[in-house]
């Protein structure tokens, strides 16, 4: 009902449902259609999902250029998962500085995976102690900003709601 009412969160979630079906066949065409619908409304996470489909060839022909395009759009909209994906792409392409910039932006939004990537760069000698320290401080600042009694209560009730490392 919510997807029919143009609720972008519901549309995106329905796309996830079709792309990860446990009880029945996967339907990437339906998932992609839903994500495209949500992306047209401006939903960044749907753009990230479209990019993931293109990078892995899920229901579409694998197209790195299209994947990067969608991730860049989502990153410009503030999606930390898209920033992380761009960081991973740049890291694997050997562009350490670009990867680090993407990871840092994502860390400032509380993206734990990006913090772990910066830690890995540091342990490999590809990031400085100052860069790693800056990332840790940015992550801690984010955690301080989002901390609340309600989040603590949710985290205590269900591990999936935990919002810090």
């Amino acid at each position: 009902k919510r997807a029919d009412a143009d609720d972008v969160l519901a549309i995106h979630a329905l796309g996830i449902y079709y792309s990860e079906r446990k009880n029945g066949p996967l339907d990437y065409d339906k998932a992609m259609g839903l994500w495209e619908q949500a992306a047209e409304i401006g939903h960044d996470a749907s753009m990230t999902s479209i990019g993931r489909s293109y990078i892995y060839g899920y229901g579409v022909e694998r197209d790195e250029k299209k994947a990067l395009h969608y991730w860049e759009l989502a990153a410009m909209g503030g999606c930390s998962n898209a920033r992380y994906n761009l960081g991973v792409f740049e890291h694997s392409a050997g562009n350490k500085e670009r990867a680090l910039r993407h990871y840092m932006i994502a860390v400032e939004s509380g993206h734990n995976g990006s913090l772990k990537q910066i830690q890995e760069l540091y342990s490999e000698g590809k990031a400085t102690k100052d860069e790693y320290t800056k990332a840790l401080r940015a992550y801690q600042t984010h955690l301080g900003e989002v901390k609340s009694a309600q989040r603590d209560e949710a985290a205590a009730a269900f591990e999936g709601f935990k919002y810090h490392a």
Side-chain angles (χ1 to χ4, degrees), residues 6-155:
D6 288 335
D7 179 331
V8 292
L9 296 176
I11 294 167
H12 177 74
L14 197 53
I16 297 290
Y17 170 78
Y18 283 111
S19 72
E20 298 178 354
R21 285 189 75 173
K22 309 274 189 272
N23 301 323
L26 297 172
D27 191 341
Y28 289 120
D29 289 336
K30 187 132 184 156
M32 186 66 98
L34 289 161
W35 291 330
E36 287 171 345
Q37 179 185 351
E40 285 176 18
I41 301 170
H43 190 250
D44 300 324
S46 291
M47 292 178 210
T48 302
S49 294
I50 292 169
R52 186 173 37 256
S53 294
Y54 277 115
I55 202 75
Y56 293 116
Y58 294 151
V60 293
E61 188 173 326
R62 192 180 182 295
D63 189 329
E64 196 173 272
K65 191 172 183 179
K66 284 185 180 179
L68 291 173
H69 170 74
Y70 281 100
W71 287 342
E72 287 169 355
L73 289 174
M76 287 186 286
C79 182
S80 61
N81 286 330
R83 282 282 175 198
Y84 171 80
N85 291 343
L86 289 168
V88 169
F89 180 83
E90 293 294 351
H91 189 174
S92 67
N95 300 324
K96 190 254 335 173
E97 289 81 17
R98 289 178 63 109
L100 193 56
R101 278 198 304 266
H102 286 299
Y103 292 146
M104 278 302 298
I105 293 168
V107 164
E108 291 167 358
S109 297
H111 195 276
N112 184 271
S114 292
L115 179 61
K116 289 178 181 177
Q117 289 296 321
I118 294 171
Q119 180 183 27
E120 184 179 312
L121 285 169
Y122 173 65
S123 68
E124 295 171 354
K126 296 178 182 173
T128 67
K129 184 176 182 177
D130 286 343
E131 289 167 329
Y132 182 46
T133 300
K134 183 179 176 185
L136 286 170
R137 284 191 179 125
Y139 189 72
Q140 288 300 322
T141 297
H142 173 79
L143 291 180
E145 290 170 353
V146 300
K147 187 164 180 59
S148 72
Q150 292 87 358
R151 285 178 189 258
D152 290 343
E153 192 175 317

